[in-house]
Amino acid sequence: MNSVSLALVAAIALIIIAAAAHLINNWRKGRSDCGCGCGSCNKCSGANVDLPECCRKEQKN
Amino acid sequence: MSYTIALAGNPNCGKTTLFNALTGASQRVGNWPGVTIDKKTGRIRGTDSQLVDLPGIYSMSPYSPEEMVSRNFIIDEKPDAIINIVDATNLERNLFLTLQLIDMGTPMVVALNMMDEIEKFGDRIDVEGLSKRLGVPVMPISAAKKTGIDELVKKVHEVAGSKIRPIPPKYDGSIESAVAEAEKALEGKVPDENARFYAFKLLEDDPDIAGKFPGLKDSLSAQIEAAEKKFDDSMDSIIADGRYDRISEFVSETVERAPRDEKGTLSDRIDRIVTSRWLGIPIFIAVIALVYMIAMYDGDWGTSPGAYATGWLNDWFGELGENVGAWCEDNGVEPWIQGLLVDGIIGGVGAVLGFLPQMIILFICLVLLEEIGYMARVAFVMDRVFRYFGLSGKSFIPLLVGTGCGIPGVMSTRTIESESDRRITAMTVTFMPCGAKLPVIAMIAGALFGGSALVGVFSYVLGIVAVIISGIVLKKLRKFSGTPAPFIMELPPYHMPQLYSFFKAVFDRVWAFVKKAGTIILLSSILIWFLASYDIGLHMVDIGESMLASIGGAIHAIFMPLGWGDDWEFSVATITGLVAKENLIATMGTLFGLEEISDEGEEIWSILADTLGSAGGMSFLTFNLLCAPCFAAIGAMHRELGTWKSTGFAVAYQCILAYLISVIVYVAVGLICGENTGTLSYVLCIINIAAIAYLLWAKDPFRQLGKDDGEASE
């Protein structure tokens, strides 16, 4: 395997780790992968649905 | 000083807009009522006070979960003050809740919202006079224009700090003497400040309050009888009438209305057409067709902006794949890495992102329809249809929410009081095409039907029909039986969308789509590429000998009567769609991308068209629109249905119904398009039609029972 291949493998591995970490983080916070399920995050068309189990968006105070 | 302040008001009176203005939060504001189902909290900007936004309610009666949440919060949590937000353009209706809140004895300020609209109409409200009559400070504001907010914050802190209690307006003498007796009877049993509220509730025979003080109501029977005799009505009606009489008096004394056009406002005139009995549904269909036409059409009349941009982006991803492939070859990159990059990552993620322009246009149109208030009219129109079939119109709000994403759609079923309606709705919300299914609709429309808007219309109508069929059929089962809950919906006036809210809603949806492509779709594409490129011994092989081909080969026969079982790729795509529905596209992008190379560069989506045909394509779309949703939505269903047994039943029901209807669609489209769909499909189609017809028309034992009960009670 040449150095270009190695660099590509490293880059792909990094992307995979980042994507997986993001999903795991979302799962731990109770957010669903589509960005929904957290009313306070406004990520979906859920209008003003707001539920206690949803994640909270930081308020700008 | 730090206070806890409750924000209470009727649905759709601008409560969330005021919450955002006060706290600096950016809660999504919906132009339809009744979807805030739990309280939310935030800190008022520039203060240490906490603001609790309660669900929108019409009264403090314990009839719905929203009313219970609001009432319990004020009674149990004892906020330092209440901001009662009132729609100044509809004072008569809003002040009913105000009078009940005043009785609770908590320091309170009335925020008279939408004063900009009042000025626009040329009306005048004597704010001081209204304040004097209500016995609480009244502050004119416009939450949307952010005027009067600072003054409101100052006033509510003043009221909370000095603990100034409202001075409740007085009603007819017989009501007041009954209330005074009830207060006396409640002495020492409830906090002094809440005594008047409890007294009213006791007289109204509120089951919750009466249950807390057994026998107490009997001691008031003399006063109640006297009042009932005087007004020849029941006590709760006398109290409600008394409140409305006072409200009429206050409004006539303090509001000066400019002359109105006899034909009504512009909103009224538009509503006469869009909510009409005969035109409501055709207009809804036309609106959806127009939306999809703008986003997807590519035919004799030209190419829509969405179809043009999507075509360009797809070509760009195709070129990107070729260039990356050539670069890899030039640099001696290992073949498997090249395959992973080009077919796995660019093929899978690129196939999904290729639909981004169409998604942006669809999101813009759908958010616009929500924001201007049209979707509330759709709920109103569909209520009529739903009630005709014995379903609750209230179910349509979660379905509307579900068109964005099934998860909040399922969650918002909590607003439905009737247990059976709630369960049925939670099971059927995901029949509506959510944002994740939009690229699948666009793919089938683009690849097979020249971007025809009718595919979009078909998807929405299919979702609604599936919900209606499910409602009728499931109500015949004991655990789903029951009469539909009444649905009262107030149509919000049409208004221009607030630019920030509009662009934020569109951006949020687009960003969620892109983020999903970069995370779960990316990982799924890599996994699919791996399974499609290697055999069980981890040797790189042709796609036909891969692990994925083995998996697809084991399940593809199930889908043969649906017209797409001959090719295992579609079966596999359906399974991967359980992770996220966009995966259908990514899977086909990866798998057909691999085939594309072997076939010397045939266009991916034309392979799809050749393989599926019109009938198979529509059947494939139907099955994937109706079958089990993604895992995240299944999780949401589990939370609402309570048990895995019920969730399993719901998923099995969705898959079976999807299968039955897909066979019918396959044969029907085959007949229309002159495609041979095979004997097995014909036979199954006839059996399916017979089965669905039987389930629809079979006697509903529980509905009959309900009717009998109703008659008996009359």
Side-chain angles (χ1 to χ4, degrees), chain B residues 197-239:
Chain B
F197 169 77
Y198 277 104
F200 269 112
K201 289 292 149 196
L202 204 59
L203 294 170
E204 287 170 359
D205 204 13
D206 179 298
D208 193 43
I209 304 290
K212 272 186 189 166
F213 309 105
L216 214 57
K217 201 198 160 203
D218 298 337
S219 66
L220 305 167
S221 54
Q223 280 75 23
I224 293 172
E225 268 171 35
E228 288 183 341
K229 203 171 165 188
K230 181 178 172 188
F231 291 96
D232 191 22
D233 209 341
S234 61
M235 195 62 197
D236 55 337
S237 300
I238 296 168
I239 293 171

Tab-separated table of all heavy atoms in Angstrom, chain B residues 197-239:
chain	number	residue	atom	x	y	z
B	197	PHE	N	-60.981	30.289	43.221
B	197	PHE	CA	-60.889	29.341	42.099
B	197	PHE	C	-61.490	27.985	42.493
B	197	PHE	O	-62.306	27.408	41.776
B	197	PHE	CB	-59.415	29.176	41.678
B	197	PHE	CG	-59.195	28.041	40.717
B	197	PHE	CD1	-59.535	28.179	39.375
B	197	PHE	CD2	-58.686	26.818	41.148
B	197	PHE	CE1	-59.357	27.131	38.482
B	197	PHE	CE2	-58.503	25.764	40.258
B	197	PHE	CZ	-58.843	25.923	38.926
B	198	TYR	N	-61.078	27.500	43.689
B	198	TYR	CA	-61.605	26.209	44.159
B	198	TYR	C	-63.128	26.279	44.332
B	198	TYR	O	-63.839	25.323	44.031
B	198	TYR	CB	-60.953	25.827	45.487
B	198	TYR	CG	-59.599	25.170	45.332
B	198	TYR	CD1	-58.425	25.861	45.592
B	198	TYR	CD2	-59.500	23.845	44.925
B	198	TYR	CE1	-57.174	25.261	45.450
B	198	TYR	CE2	-58.252	23.231	44.784
B	198	TYR	CZ	-57.105	23.944	45.050
B	198	TYR	OH	-55.899	23.329	44.898
B	199	ALA	N	-63.595	27.426	44.818
B	199	ALA	CA	-65.038	27.574	45.055
B	199	ALA	C	-65.802	27.442	43.736
B	199	ALA	O	-66.798	26.713	43.639
B	199	ALA	CB	-65.319	28.923	45.706
B	200	PHE	N	-65.320	28.136	42.726
B	200	PHE	CA	-65.977	28.036	41.412
B	200	PHE	C	-65.955	26.591	40.901
B	200	PHE	O	-66.942	26.088	40.384
B	200	PHE	CB	-65.273	28.949	40.393
B	200	PHE	CG	-65.860	30.330	40.342
B	200	PHE	CD1	-65.138	31.437	40.779
B	200	PHE	CD2	-67.141	30.534	39.851
B	200	PHE	CE1	-65.683	32.712	40.733
B	200	PHE	CE2	-67.696	31.807	39.806
B	200	PHE	CZ	-66.967	32.900	40.252
B	201	LYS	N	-64.798	25.953	41.052
B	201	LYS	CA	-64.668	24.591	40.511
B	201	LYS	C	-65.578	23.616	41.270
B	201	LYS	O	-66.123	22.684	40.683
B	201	LYS	CB	-63.199	24.129	40.590
B	201	LYS	CG	-62.303	24.839	39.599
B	201	LYS	CD	-62.637	24.439	38.174
B	201	LYS	CE	-62.389	25.531	37.192
B	201	LYS	NZ	-63.035	25.307	35.904
B	202	LEU	N	-65.714	23.870	42.566
B	202	LEU	CA	-66.595	23.014	43.375
B	202	LEU	C	-68.049	23.172	42.911
B	202	LEU	O	-68.781	22.197	42.742
B	202	LEU	CB	-66.459	23.429	44.844
B	202	LEU	CG	-66.813	22.386	45.898
B	202	LEU	CD1	-65.952	21.144	45.736
B	202	LEU	CD2	-66.609	22.973	47.294
B	203	LEU	N	-68.432	24.419	42.664
B	203	LEU	CA	-69.802	24.689	42.210
B	203	LEU	C	-70.036	24.123	40.799
B	203	LEU	O	-71.135	23.702	40.469
B	203	LEU	CB	-70.078	26.201	42.211
B	203	LEU	CG	-70.091	26.860	43.591
B	203	LEU	CD1	-70.132	28.375	43.463
B	203	LEU	CD2	-71.284	26.380	44.411
B	204	GLU	N	-68.986	24.150	39.974
B	204	GLU	CA	-69.115	23.607	38.609
B	204	GLU	C	-69.091	22.085	38.605
B	204	GLU	O	-69.180	21.475	37.543
B	204	GLU	CB	-67.960	24.128	37.742
B	204	GLU	CG	-68.089	25.588	37.371
B	204	GLU	CD	-66.814	26.141	36.723
B	204	GLU	OE1	-65.823	25.393	36.588
B	204	GLU	OE2	-66.813	27.326	36.372
B	205	ASP	N	-68.911	21.486	39.775
B	205	ASP	CA	-68.820	20.033	39.915
B	205	ASP	C	-67.626	19.475	39.139
B	205	ASP	O	-67.733	18.456	38.464
B	205	ASP	CB	-70.124	19.367	39.440
B	205	ASP	CG	-70.302	18.003	40.100
B	205	ASP	OD1	-69.572	17.725	41.071
B	205	ASP	OD2	-71.139	17.208	39.620
B	206	ASP	N	-66.514	20.181	39.235
B	206	ASP	CA	-65.270	19.722	38.618
B	206	ASP	C	-64.878	18.392	39.282
B	206	ASP	O	-64.702	18.338	40.495
B	206	ASP	CB	-64.199	20.792	38.876
B	206	ASP	CG	-62.850	20.429	38.305
B	206	ASP	OD1	-62.277	19.403	38.732
B	206	ASP	OD2	-62.376	21.173	37.450
B	207	PRO	N	-64.781	17.308	38.502
B	207	PRO	CA	-64.576	15.992	39.121
B	207	PRO	C	-63.298	15.913	39.952
B	207	PRO	O	-63.265	15.263	40.999
B	207	PRO	CB	-64.524	15.034	37.928
B	207	PRO	CG	-64.323	15.885	36.713
B	207	PRO	CD	-64.851	17.245	37.046
B	208	ASP	N	-62.261	16.596	39.505
B	208	ASP	CA	-60.974	16.537	40.197
B	208	ASP	C	-61.069	17.223	41.560
B	208	ASP	O	-60.659	16.669	42.588
B	208	ASP	CB	-59.929	17.232	39.310
B	208	ASP	CG	-58.530	16.966	39.777
B	208	ASP	OD1	-58.254	15.807	40.126
B	208	ASP	OD2	-57.726	17.922	39.819
B	209	ILE	N	-61.653	18.432	41.571
B	209	ILE	CA	-61.746	19.202	42.827
B	209	ILE	C	-62.797	18.571	43.755
B	209	ILE	O	-62.553	18.401	44.954
B	209	ILE	CB	-62.131	20.675	42.520
B	209	ILE	CG1	-61.136	21.304	41.531
B	209	ILE	CG2	-62.266	21.490	43.806
B	209	ILE	CD1	-59.770	21.582	42.029
B	210	ALA	N	-63.947	18.187	43.164
B	210	ALA	CA	-65.000	17.578	43.998
B	210	ALA	C	-64.472	16.302	44.658
B	210	ALA	O	-64.792	16.003	45.823
B	210	ALA	CB	-66.224	17.288	43.147
B	211	GLY	N	-63.632	15.583	43.921
B	211	GLY	CA	-63.057	14.337	44.458
B	211	GLY	C	-62.119	14.601	45.622
B	211	GLY	O	-61.977	13.777	46.528
B	212	LYS	N	-61.475	15.769	45.617
B	212	LYS	CA	-60.518	16.112	46.688
B	212	LYS	C	-61.250	16.451	47.991
B	212	LYS	O	-60.697	16.306	49.073
B	212	LYS	CB	-59.692	17.330	46.262
B	212	LYS	CG	-58.449	16.966	45.468
B	212	LYS	CD	-57.633	18.219	45.228
B	212	LYS	CE	-56.507	17.927	44.242
B	212	LYS	NZ	-55.913	19.138	43.724
B	213	PHE	N	-62.463	16.966	47.849
B	213	PHE	CA	-63.232	17.378	49.041
B	213	PHE	C	-64.590	16.675	49.044
B	213	PHE	O	-65.621	17.312	48.774
B	213	PHE	CB	-63.415	18.900	49.064
B	213	PHE	CG	-62.140	19.658	48.892
B	213	PHE	CD1	-61.851	20.287	47.687
B	213	PHE	CD2	-61.202	19.724	49.919
B	213	PHE	CE1	-60.659	20.971	47.516
B	213	PHE	CE2	-60.007	20.400	49.747
B	213	PHE	CZ	-59.734	21.028	48.540
B	214	PRO	N	-64.608	15.381	49.299
B	214	PRO	CA	-65.871	14.645	49.203
B	214	PRO	C	-66.915	15.195	50.194
B	214	PRO	O	-66.590	15.546	51.332
B	214	PRO	CB	-65.474	13.200	49.545
B	214	PRO	CG	-64.145	13.279	50.187
B	214	PRO	CD	-63.487	14.535	49.716
B	215	GLY	N	-68.123	15.315	49.729
B	215	GLY	CA	-69.227	15.741	50.589
B	215	GLY	C	-69.380	17.246	50.692
B	215	GLY	O	-70.429	17.749	51.098
B	216	LEU	N	-68.325	17.974	50.292
B	216	LEU	CA	-68.367	19.429	50.450
B	216	LEU	C	-69.416	20.062	49.542
B	216	LEU	O	-70.091	21.018	49.919
B	216	LEU	CB	-66.983	20.004	50.131
B	216	LEU	CG	-66.588	21.237	50.943
B	216	LEU	CD1	-66.641	20.958	52.421
B	216	LEU	CD2	-65.190	21.694	50.545
B	217	LYS	N	-69.537	19.497	48.337
B	217	LYS	CA	-70.488	20.081	47.387
B	217	LYS	C	-71.926	19.955	47.922
B	217	LYS	O	-72.756	20.843	47.698
B	217	LYS	CB	-70.353	19.387	46.027
B	217	LYS	CG	-70.918	20.243	44.903
B	217	LYS	CD	-71.193	19.461	43.662
B	217	LYS	CE	-72.175	20.235	42.792
B	217	LYS	NZ	-72.896	19.401	41.888
B	218	ASP	N	-72.184	18.851	48.625
B	218	ASP	CA	-73.542	18.634	49.156
B	218	ASP	C	-73.942	19.748	50.128
B	218	ASP	O	-75.098	20.150	50.198
B	218	ASP	CB	-73.623	17.273	49.870
B	218	ASP	CG	-73.350	16.135	48.890
B	218	ASP	OD1	-73.539	16.368	47.672
B	218	ASP	OD2	-72.931	15.049	49.333
B	219	SER	N	-72.928	20.248	50.863
B	219	SER	CA	-73.232	21.302	51.842
B	219	SER	C	-73.608	22.619	51.160
B	219	SER	O	-74.070	23.548	51.800
B	219	SER	CB	-72.040	21.512	52.786
B	219	SER	OG	-70.957	22.020	52.040
B	220	LEU	N	-73.365	22.681	49.854
B	220	LEU	CA	-73.673	23.917	49.125
B	220	LEU	C	-74.950	23.774	48.303
B	220	LEU	O	-75.271	24.640	47.498
B	220	LEU	CB	-72.514	24.267	48.168
B	220	LEU	CG	-71.137	24.389	48.799
B	220	LEU	CD1	-70.069	24.426	47.726
B	220	LEU	CD2	-71.073	25.662	49.648
B	221	SER	N	-75.636	22.661	48.477
B	221	SER	CA	-76.775	22.360	47.603
B	221	SER	C	-77.855	23.443	47.646
B	221	SER	O	-78.459	23.757	46.620
B	221	SER	CB	-77.360	20.986	47.935
B	221	SER	OG	-77.653	20.954	49.283
B	222	ALA	N	-78.056	24.079	48.812
B	222	ALA	CA	-79.098	25.109	48.916
B	222	ALA	C	-78.783	26.281	47.996
B	222	ALA	O	-79.634	26.743	47.230
B	222	ALA	CB	-79.207	25.591	50.359
B	223	GLN	N	-77.507	26.733	48.027
B	223	GLN	CA	-77.111	27.865	47.178
B	223	GLN	C	-77.181	27.486	45.689
B	223	GLN	O	-77.639	28.263	44.857
B	223	GLN	CB	-75.668	28.302	47.489
B	223	GLN	CG	-75.520	29.167	48.724
B	223	GLN	CD	-75.659	28.348	49.999
B	223	GLN	OE1	-75.439	27.131	50.004
B	223	GLN	NE2	-76.065	29.007	51.074
B	224	ILE	N	-76.734	26.274	45.411
B	224	ILE	CA	-76.729	25.831	44.000
B	224	ILE	C	-78.163	25.742	43.490
B	224	ILE	O	-78.476	26.233	42.397
B	224	ILE	CB	-75.996	24.473	43.860
B	224	ILE	CG1	-74.499	24.647	44.163
B	224	ILE	CG2	-76.166	23.898	42.446
B	224	ILE	CD1	-73.705	23.377	44.246
B	225	GLU	N	-79.023	25.152	44.305
B	225	GLU	CA	-80.437	25.018	43.892
B	225	GLU	C	-81.074	26.375	43.656
B	225	GLU	O	-81.792	26.577	42.674
B	225	GLU	CB	-81.224	24.248	44.952
B	225	GLU	CG	-81.251	22.749	44.665
B	225	GLU	CD	-81.832	21.967	45.828
B	225	GLU	OE1	-82.761	22.479	46.489
B	225	GLU	OE2	-81.340	20.851	46.080
B	226	ALA	N	-80.763	27.329	44.541
B	226	ALA	CA	-81.334	28.672	44.403
B	226	ALA	C	-80.916	29.307	43.083
B	226	ALA	O	-81.734	29.872	42.355
B	226	ALA	CB	-80.897	29.545	45.579
B	227	ALA	N	-79.635	29.189	42.800
B	227	ALA	CA	-79.135	29.778	41.546
B	227	ALA	C	-79.722	29.054	40.343
B	227	ALA	O	-80.136	29.692	39.360
B	227	ALA	CB	-77.605	29.704	41.518
B	228	GLU	N	-79.777	27.722	40.405
B	228	GLU	CA	-80.292	26.953	39.266
B	228	GLU	C	-81.765	27.263	39.018
B	228	GLU	O	-82.223	27.285	37.883
B	228	GLU	CB	-80.063	25.454	39.485
B	228	GLU	CG	-78.590	25.077	39.344
B	228	GLU	CD	-78.286	23.592	39.472
B	228	GLU	OE1	-79.127	22.853	40.023
B	228	GLU	OE2	-77.205	23.197	39.042
B	229	LYS	N	-82.488	27.500	40.126
B	229	LYS	CA	-83.906	27.825	39.998
B	229	LYS	C	-84.070	29.214	39.370
B	229	LYS	O	-84.881	29.409	38.468
B	229	LYS	CB	-84.552	27.810	41.396
B	229	LYS	CG	-86.039	27.575	41.353
B	229	LYS	CD	-86.563	27.361	42.743
B	229	LYS	CE	-88.071	27.483	42.747
B	229	LYS	NZ	-88.608	27.472	44.084
B	230	LYS	N	-83.224	30.116	39.805
B	230	LYS	CA	-83.322	31.488	39.316
B	230	LYS	C	-83.029	31.552	37.803
B	230	LYS	O	-83.718	32.239	37.061
B	230	LYS	CB	-82.332	32.380	40.088
B	230	LYS	CG	-82.391	33.837	39.663
B	230	LYS	CD	-81.433	34.675	40.486
B	230	LYS	CE	-81.361	36.090	39.922
B	230	LYS	NZ	-80.319	36.879	40.555
B	231	PHE	N	-81.994	30.828	37.372
B	231	PHE	CA	-81.588	30.926	35.960
B	231	PHE	C	-82.128	29.783	35.099
B	231	PHE	O	-81.893	29.759	33.890
B	231	PHE	CB	-80.056	30.943	35.862
B	231	PHE	CG	-79.442	32.203	36.404
B	231	PHE	CD1	-78.951	32.271	37.698
B	231	PHE	CD2	-79.385	33.341	35.616
B	231	PHE	CE1	-78.397	33.428	38.192
B	231	PHE	CE2	-78.825	34.506	36.101
B	231	PHE	CZ	-78.326	34.559	37.398
B	232	ASP	N	-82.780	28.829	35.725
B	232	ASP	CA	-83.314	27.661	35.025
B	232	ASP	C	-82.228	26.990	34.170
B	232	ASP	O	-82.392	26.755	32.976
B	232	ASP	CB	-84.507	28.099	34.139
B	232	ASP	CG	-85.259	26.873	33.616
B	232	ASP	OD1	-85.131	25.797	34.247
B	232	ASP	OD2	-85.938	26.983	32.577
B	233	ASP	N	-81.097	26.758	34.800
B	233	ASP	CA	-79.967	26.145	34.087
B	233	ASP	C	-79.075	25.434	35.108
B	233	ASP	O	-79.255	25.617	36.319
B	233	ASP	CB	-79.174	27.239	33.348
B	233	ASP	CG	-78.498	26.705	32.088
B	233	ASP	OD1	-78.343	25.476	31.987
B	233	ASP	OD2	-78.138	27.531	31.222
B	234	SER	N	-78.109	24.657	34.605
B	234	SER	CA	-77.207	23.993	35.546
B	234	SER	C	-76.169	25.001	36.033
B	234	SER	O	-75.888	25.995	35.366
B	234	SER	CB	-76.501	22.824	34.855
B	234	SER	OG	-75.748	23.317	33.780
B	235	MET	N	-75.559	24.706	37.193
B	235	MET	CA	-74.664	25.674	37.822
B	235	MET	C	-73.455	25.990	36.943
B	235	MET	O	-73.038	27.160	36.851
B	235	MET	CB	-74.190	25.122	39.184
B	235	MET	CG	-73.569	26.152	40.086
B	235	MET	SD	-74.760	27.446	40.525
B	235	MET	CE	-73.695	28.741	41.109
B	236	ASP	N	-72.893	24.960	36.282
B	236	ASP	CA	-71.703	25.251	35.473
B	236	ASP	C	-72.052	26.157	34.291
B	236	ASP	O	-71.281	27.041	33.922
B	236	ASP	CB	-70.981	23.972	35.021
B	236	ASP	CG	-71.877	23.011	34.287
B	236	ASP	OD1	-73.104	23.071	34.478
B	236	ASP	OD2	-71.356	22.191	33.508
B	237	SER	N	-73.276	25.965	33.725
B	237	SER	CA	-73.696	26.839	32.621
B	237	SER	C	-73.947	28.254	33.124
B	237	SER	O	-73.628	29.230	32.441
B	237	SER	CB	-74.973	26.315	31.964
B	237	SER	OG	-74.755	25.041	31.469
B	238	ILE	N	-74.503	28.348	34.324
B	238	ILE	CA	-74.775	29.684	34.899
B	238	ILE	C	-73.462	30.451	35.079
B	238	ILE	O	-73.359	31.629	34.729
B	238	ILE	CB	-75.508	29.547	36.254
B	238	ILE	CG1	-76.881	28.897	36.044
B	238	ILE	CG2	-75.635	30.892	36.952
B	238	ILE	CD1	-77.551	28.460	37.329
B	239	ILE	N	-72.447	29.714	35.588
B	239	ILE	CA	-71.143	30.374	35.812
B	239	ILE	C	-70.524	30.793	34.480
B	239	ILE	O	-70.041	31.926	34.335
B	239	ILE	CB	-70.197	29.441	36.624
B	239	ILE	CG1	-70.751	29.274	38.043
B	239	ILE	CG2	-68.776	29.997	36.645
B	239	ILE	CD1	-70.044	28.228	38.870
